[in-house]
Amino acid sequence: MYDPEKVKGHLHTINEHKWKVTWLCFRCGLYKQDLSKYSPIELRTGFRYYQGFRSPINAQKEVEGYSTSWLHHKGRNPHHWEYWIDNGKDGLRATPMAFNYIVEMFCDRVAASMTYMKDEYRDDSALKYFEDNLKSTVFHPDTERQIRYLLQYLADHGLEKTIKRIRFLLNRWKYTGKSGI
Ligand SMILES: [Zn+2]
């Protein structure tokens, strides 16, 4: 019922991505557990829409108009800005993301760029993706400033220096409640 090559490809992609996120988070000083990609609803989408160069969720949205897999994922994982959207009388609004989840989002995005871009990956790849997709995102201004700072730092100084910087910022946030950026 599923193309075996797509099943193999998708499992390879999410395993590789997961390993990279775990490794990046660990190096930044975070212990992260995000297993919802392995839930049946999210796996089904991956097996059906696997492409290799981008998330199957985007492919599903193009064909079906929306992605139940994505709704499942973002509802359980606070490292996505969509998790922090609330609604009020005036419509939808973004609430500020906690800094540890901004760091997780950073790790997730960098790992995704590495996984999908392979040899084409550069230190500014995740920043470019962020800027290119800004129009279709709803960040709280504090969140937008902080994630851009981290992605820009990576583009300017490389991964090793950025990890050092993040460890410092996370510590400051833990003790003062503010990242200071
Ligand atoms: Zn995620």
Side-chain angles (χ1 to χ4, degrees), residues 17 21 32 34 36-37 42 57 70 73-74 76-80 104-105 108:
H17 176 71
V21 177
K32 183 174 171 297
D34 164 15
S36 79
K37 283 212 175 91
E42 292 189 37
I57 283 166
W70 172 243
H73 186 81
K74 62 107 183 184
R76 284 161 184 76
N77 295 286
H79 61 263
H80 291 288
E104 260 191 42
M105 175 163 68
D108 189 43

PDB file of all heavy atoms in Angstrom, residues 17 21 32 34 36-37 42 57 70 73-74 76-80 104-105 108, ligand 1:
ATOM      1  N   HIS A  17      17.363  13.245  10.924  1.00  0.00           N
ATOM      2  CA  HIS A  17      16.979  14.532  11.502  1.00  0.00           C
ATOM      3  C   HIS A  17      16.951  14.440  13.031  1.00  0.00           C
ATOM      4  O   HIS A  17      17.475  15.282  13.733  1.00  0.00           O
ATOM      5  CB  HIS A  17      15.611  14.954  10.972  1.00  0.00           C
ATOM      6  CG  HIS A  17      15.095  16.217  11.579  1.00  0.00           C
ATOM      7  ND1 HIS A  17      15.634  17.446  11.307  1.00  0.00           N
ATOM      8  CD2 HIS A  17      14.110  16.446  12.472  1.00  0.00           C
ATOM      9  CE1 HIS A  17      15.007  18.368  11.990  1.00  0.00           C
ATOM     10  NE2 HIS A  17      14.065  17.789  12.715  1.00  0.00           N
ATOM     11  N   VAL A  21      19.064  16.649  15.689  1.00  0.00           N
ATOM     12  CA  VAL A  21      18.442  17.546  16.674  1.00  0.00           C
ATOM     13  C   VAL A  21      18.896  17.162  18.078  1.00  0.00           C
ATOM     14  O   VAL A  21      19.262  18.025  18.885  1.00  0.00           O
ATOM     15  CB  VAL A  21      16.899  17.482  16.603  1.00  0.00           C
ATOM     16  CG1 VAL A  21      16.275  18.364  17.677  1.00  0.00           C
ATOM     17  CG2 VAL A  21      16.408  17.947  15.249  1.00  0.00           C
ATOM     18  N   LYS A  32      16.313  16.736  24.958  1.00  0.00           N
ATOM     19  CA  LYS A  32      15.068  16.851  24.214  1.00  0.00           C
ATOM     20  C   LYS A  32      14.497  15.483  23.863  1.00  0.00           C
ATOM     21  O   LYS A  32      15.193  14.586  23.453  1.00  0.00           O
ATOM     22  CB  LYS A  32      15.344  17.623  22.927  1.00  0.00           C
ATOM     23  CG  LYS A  32      14.109  17.865  22.119  1.00  0.00           C
ATOM     24  CD  LYS A  32      14.443  18.752  20.942  1.00  0.00           C
ATOM     25  CE  LYS A  32      13.263  18.822  20.026  1.00  0.00           C
ATOM     26  NZ  LYS A  32      12.896  17.554  19.446  1.00  0.00           N
ATOM     27  N   ASP A  34      11.428  14.171  21.525  1.00  0.00           N
ATOM     28  CA  ASP A  34      10.334  14.468  20.607  1.00  0.00           C
ATOM     29  C   ASP A  34      10.107  13.237  19.755  1.00  0.00           C
ATOM     30  O   ASP A  34      10.784  13.012  18.770  1.00  0.00           O
ATOM     31  CB  ASP A  34      10.702  15.681  19.742  1.00  0.00           C
ATOM     32  CG  ASP A  34       9.807  15.818  18.519  1.00  0.00           C
ATOM     33  OD1 ASP A  34       8.749  15.165  18.482  1.00  0.00           O
ATOM     34  OD2 ASP A  34      10.170  16.577  17.612  1.00  0.00           O
ATOM     35  N   SER A  36       7.008  12.309  18.543  1.00  0.00           N
ATOM     36  CA  SER A  36       5.721  12.267  17.847  1.00  0.00           C
ATOM     37  C   SER A  36       5.879  11.965  16.361  1.00  0.00           C
ATOM     38  O   SER A  36       4.946  11.491  15.723  1.00  0.00           O
ATOM     39  CB  SER A  36       4.932  13.558  18.077  1.00  0.00           C
ATOM     40  OG  SER A  36       5.393  14.589  17.248  1.00  0.00           O
ATOM     41  N   LYS A  37       7.076  12.205  15.786  1.00  0.00           N
ATOM     42  CA  LYS A  37       7.283  11.863  14.372  1.00  0.00           C
ATOM     43  C   LYS A  37       7.129  10.365  14.136  1.00  0.00           C
ATOM     44  O   LYS A  37       6.937   9.930  13.012  1.00  0.00           O
ATOM     45  CB  LYS A  37       8.664  12.323  13.906  1.00  0.00           C
ATOM     46  CG  LYS A  37       8.735  13.820  13.646  1.00  0.00           C
ATOM     47  CD  LYS A  37       9.717  14.160  12.538  1.00  0.00           C
ATOM     48  CE  LYS A  37       9.687  15.630  12.194  1.00  0.00           C
ATOM     49  NZ  LYS A  37      10.651  16.422  12.984  1.00  0.00           N
ATOM     50  N   GLU A  42       1.661  10.573  12.036  1.00  0.00           N
ATOM     51  CA  GLU A  42       2.734  11.318  11.379  1.00  0.00           C
ATOM     52  C   GLU A  42       3.532  10.427  10.428  1.00  0.00           C
ATOM     53  O   GLU A  42       3.976  10.879   9.367  1.00  0.00           O
ATOM     54  CB  GLU A  42       3.633  11.975  12.435  1.00  0.00           C
ATOM     55  CG  GLU A  42       2.905  13.080  13.193  1.00  0.00           C
ATOM     56  CD  GLU A  42       3.806  13.906  14.095  1.00  0.00           C
ATOM     57  OE1 GLU A  42       4.955  14.175  13.723  1.00  0.00           O
ATOM     58  OE2 GLU A  42       3.348  14.280  15.204  1.00  0.00           O
ATOM     59  N   ILE A  57       5.184  17.001   4.954  1.00  0.00           N
ATOM     60  CA  ILE A  57       4.031  17.791   5.393  1.00  0.00           C
ATOM     61  C   ILE A  57       3.682  18.855   4.356  1.00  0.00           C
ATOM     62  O   ILE A  57       2.522  19.084   4.037  1.00  0.00           O
ATOM     63  CB  ILE A  57       4.333  18.431   6.771  1.00  0.00           C
ATOM     64  CG1 ILE A  57       4.184  17.357   7.857  1.00  0.00           C
ATOM     65  CG2 ILE A  57       3.409  19.602   7.046  1.00  0.00           C
ATOM     66  CD1 ILE A  57       4.769  17.741   9.188  1.00  0.00           C
ATOM     67  N   TRP A  70       0.633  17.424  10.533  1.00  0.00           N
ATOM     68  CA  TRP A  70       1.245  18.639  11.072  1.00  0.00           C
ATOM     69  C   TRP A  70       0.496  19.126  12.322  1.00  0.00           C
ATOM     70  O   TRP A  70       1.096  19.532  13.313  1.00  0.00           O
ATOM     71  CB  TRP A  70       1.281  19.727  10.008  1.00  0.00           C
ATOM     72  CG  TRP A  70       1.711  21.041  10.568  1.00  0.00           C
ATOM     73  CD1 TRP A  70       0.999  22.179  10.617  1.00  0.00           C
ATOM     74  CD2 TRP A  70       2.964  21.310  11.208  1.00  0.00           C
ATOM     75  NE1 TRP A  70       1.719  23.158  11.247  1.00  0.00           N
ATOM     76  CE2 TRP A  70       2.927  22.650  11.631  1.00  0.00           C
ATOM     77  CE3 TRP A  70       4.109  20.547  11.478  1.00  0.00           C
ATOM     78  CZ2 TRP A  70       3.984  23.252  12.291  1.00  0.00           C
ATOM     79  CZ3 TRP A  70       5.166  21.144  12.149  1.00  0.00           C
ATOM     80  CH2 TRP A  70       5.102  22.481  12.541  1.00  0.00           C
ATOM     81  N   HIS A  73       1.601  17.141  15.079  1.00  0.00           N
ATOM     82  CA  HIS A  73       2.975  17.426  15.479  1.00  0.00           C
ATOM     83  C   HIS A  73       3.106  18.745  16.245  1.00  0.00           C
ATOM     84  O   HIS A  73       3.671  18.807  17.328  1.00  0.00           O
ATOM     85  CB  HIS A  73       3.886  17.446  14.256  1.00  0.00           C
ATOM     86  CG  HIS A  73       5.335  17.588  14.609  1.00  0.00           C
ATOM     87  ND1 HIS A  73       6.101  16.526  15.021  1.00  0.00           N
ATOM     88  CD2 HIS A  73       6.139  18.679  14.677  1.00  0.00           C
ATOM     89  CE1 HIS A  73       7.321  16.959  15.307  1.00  0.00           C
ATOM     90  NE2 HIS A  73       7.374  18.257  15.113  1.00  0.00           N
ATOM     91  N   LYS A  74       2.567  19.813  15.675  1.00  0.00           N
ATOM     92  CA  LYS A  74       2.788  21.122  16.305  1.00  0.00           C
ATOM     93  C   LYS A  74       2.022  21.243  17.631  1.00  0.00           C
ATOM     94  O   LYS A  74       2.405  22.015  18.498  1.00  0.00           O
ATOM     95  CB  LYS A  74       2.448  22.264  15.356  1.00  0.00           C
ATOM     96  CG  LYS A  74       1.005  22.316  14.904  1.00  0.00           C
ATOM     97  CD  LYS A  74       0.248  23.433  15.558  1.00  0.00           C
ATOM     98  CE  LYS A  74      -1.200  23.371  15.110  1.00  0.00           C
ATOM     99  NZ  LYS A  74      -2.029  24.428  15.584  1.00  0.00           N
ATOM    100  N   ARG A  76       1.934  19.070  19.901  1.00  0.00           N
ATOM    101  CA  ARG A  76       2.660  18.348  20.944  1.00  0.00           C
ATOM    102  C   ARG A  76       4.089  18.832  21.156  1.00  0.00           C
ATOM    103  O   ARG A  76       4.771  18.374  22.057  1.00  0.00           O
ATOM    104  CB  ARG A  76       2.706  16.856  20.581  1.00  0.00           C
ATOM    105  CG  ARG A  76       1.399  16.153  20.824  1.00  0.00           C
ATOM    106  CD  ARG A  76       1.301  14.846  20.049  1.00  0.00           C
ATOM    107  NE  ARG A  76      -0.021  14.266  20.250  1.00  0.00           N
ATOM    108  CZ  ARG A  76      -1.130  14.699  19.660  1.00  0.00           C
ATOM    109  NH1 ARG A  76      -1.069  15.718  18.813  1.00  0.00           N
ATOM    110  NH2 ARG A  76      -2.292  14.144  19.895  1.00  0.00           N
ATOM    111  N   ASN A  77       4.532  19.738  20.290  1.00  0.00           N
ATOM    112  CA  ASN A  77       5.951  20.106  20.323  1.00  0.00           C
ATOM    113  C   ASN A  77       6.155  21.620  20.415  1.00  0.00           C
ATOM    114  O   ASN A  77       6.079  22.322  19.399  1.00  0.00           O
ATOM    115  CB  ASN A  77       6.644  19.550  19.075  1.00  0.00           C
ATOM    116  CG  ASN A  77       6.660  18.032  19.066  1.00  0.00           C
ATOM    117  OD1 ASN A  77       7.414  17.406  19.805  1.00  0.00           O
ATOM    118  ND2 ASN A  77       5.804  17.425  18.249  1.00  0.00           N
ATOM    119  N   PRO A  78       6.418  22.107  21.632  1.00  0.00           N
ATOM    120  CA  PRO A  78       6.520  23.568  21.843  1.00  0.00           C
ATOM    121  C   PRO A  78       7.694  24.229  21.129  1.00  0.00           C
ATOM    122  O   PRO A  78       7.850  25.435  21.222  1.00  0.00           O
ATOM    123  CB  PRO A  78       6.691  23.701  23.373  1.00  0.00           C
ATOM    124  CG  PRO A  78       6.413  22.365  23.942  1.00  0.00           C
ATOM    125  CD  PRO A  78       6.608  21.349  22.874  1.00  0.00           C
ATOM    126  N   HIS A  79       8.543  23.452  20.410  1.00  0.00           N
ATOM    127  CA  HIS A  79       9.628  24.112  19.670  1.00  0.00           C
ATOM    128  C   HIS A  79       9.120  24.684  18.343  1.00  0.00           C
ATOM    129  O   HIS A  79       9.899  25.234  17.576  1.00  0.00           O
ATOM    130  CB  HIS A  79      10.813  23.172  19.427  1.00  0.00           C
ATOM    131  CG  HIS A  79      10.470  21.955  18.620  1.00  0.00           C
ATOM    132  ND1 HIS A  79      10.187  20.748  19.203  1.00  0.00           N
ATOM    133  CD2 HIS A  79      10.351  21.761  17.295  1.00  0.00           C
ATOM    134  CE1 HIS A  79       9.921  19.865  18.255  1.00  0.00           C
ATOM    135  NE2 HIS A  79      10.010  20.451  17.086  1.00  0.00           N
ATOM    136  N   HIS A  80       7.810  24.552  18.070  1.00  0.00           N
ATOM    137  CA  HIS A  80       7.240  25.176  16.881  1.00  0.00           C
ATOM    138  C   HIS A  80       6.442  26.417  17.276  1.00  0.00           C
ATOM    139  O   HIS A  80       5.668  26.377  18.225  1.00  0.00           O
ATOM    140  CB  HIS A  80       6.317  24.200  16.155  1.00  0.00           C
ATOM    141  CG  HIS A  80       7.074  23.073  15.527  1.00  0.00           C
ATOM    142  ND1 HIS A  80       7.850  23.246  14.410  1.00  0.00           N
ATOM    143  CD2 HIS A  80       7.214  21.778  15.887  1.00  0.00           C
ATOM    144  CE1 HIS A  80       8.419  22.087  14.094  1.00  0.00           C
ATOM    145  NE2 HIS A  80       8.057  21.185  14.973  1.00  0.00           N
ATOM    146  N   GLU A 104      15.490  25.081  21.144  1.00  0.00           N
ATOM    147  CA  GLU A 104      15.072  23.832  20.485  1.00  0.00           C
ATOM    148  C   GLU A 104      14.674  24.078  19.039  1.00  0.00           C
ATOM    149  O   GLU A 104      14.992  23.287  18.147  1.00  0.00           O
ATOM    150  CB  GLU A 104      13.872  23.233  21.217  1.00  0.00           C
ATOM    151  CG  GLU A 104      14.253  22.108  22.160  1.00  0.00           C
ATOM    152  CD  GLU A 104      13.018  21.358  22.657  1.00  0.00           C
ATOM    153  OE1 GLU A 104      12.098  21.074  21.874  1.00  0.00           O
ATOM    154  OE2 GLU A 104      13.004  21.064  23.851  1.00  0.00           O
ATOM    155  N   MET A 105      13.958  25.184  18.820  1.00  0.00           N
ATOM    156  CA  MET A 105      13.547  25.534  17.457  1.00  0.00           C
ATOM    157  C   MET A 105      14.783  25.786  16.592  1.00  0.00           C
ATOM    158  O   MET A 105      14.845  25.340  15.439  1.00  0.00           O
ATOM    159  CB  MET A 105      12.652  26.778  17.476  1.00  0.00           C
ATOM    160  CG  MET A 105      12.272  27.303  16.106  1.00  0.00           C
ATOM    161  SD  MET A 105      10.872  28.439  16.137  1.00  0.00           S
ATOM    162  CE  MET A 105      11.564  29.849  17.005  1.00  0.00           C
ATOM    163  N   ASP A 108      16.237  22.423  15.782  1.00  0.00           N
ATOM    164  CA  ASP A 108      15.358  21.737  14.838  1.00  0.00           C
ATOM    165  C   ASP A 108      15.550  22.288  13.429  1.00  0.00           C
ATOM    166  O   ASP A 108      15.663  21.537  12.455  1.00  0.00           O
ATOM    167  CB  ASP A 108      13.903  21.933  15.297  1.00  0.00           C
ATOM    168  CG  ASP A 108      12.922  21.079  14.513  1.00  0.00           C
ATOM    169  OD1 ASP A 108      13.220  19.901  14.261  1.00  0.00           O
ATOM    170  OD2 ASP A 108      11.845  21.603  14.153  1.00  0.00           O
TER     171      ASP A 108
HETATM  172 ZN    ZN B   1       9.094  19.383  15.379  1.00  0.00          ZN
END
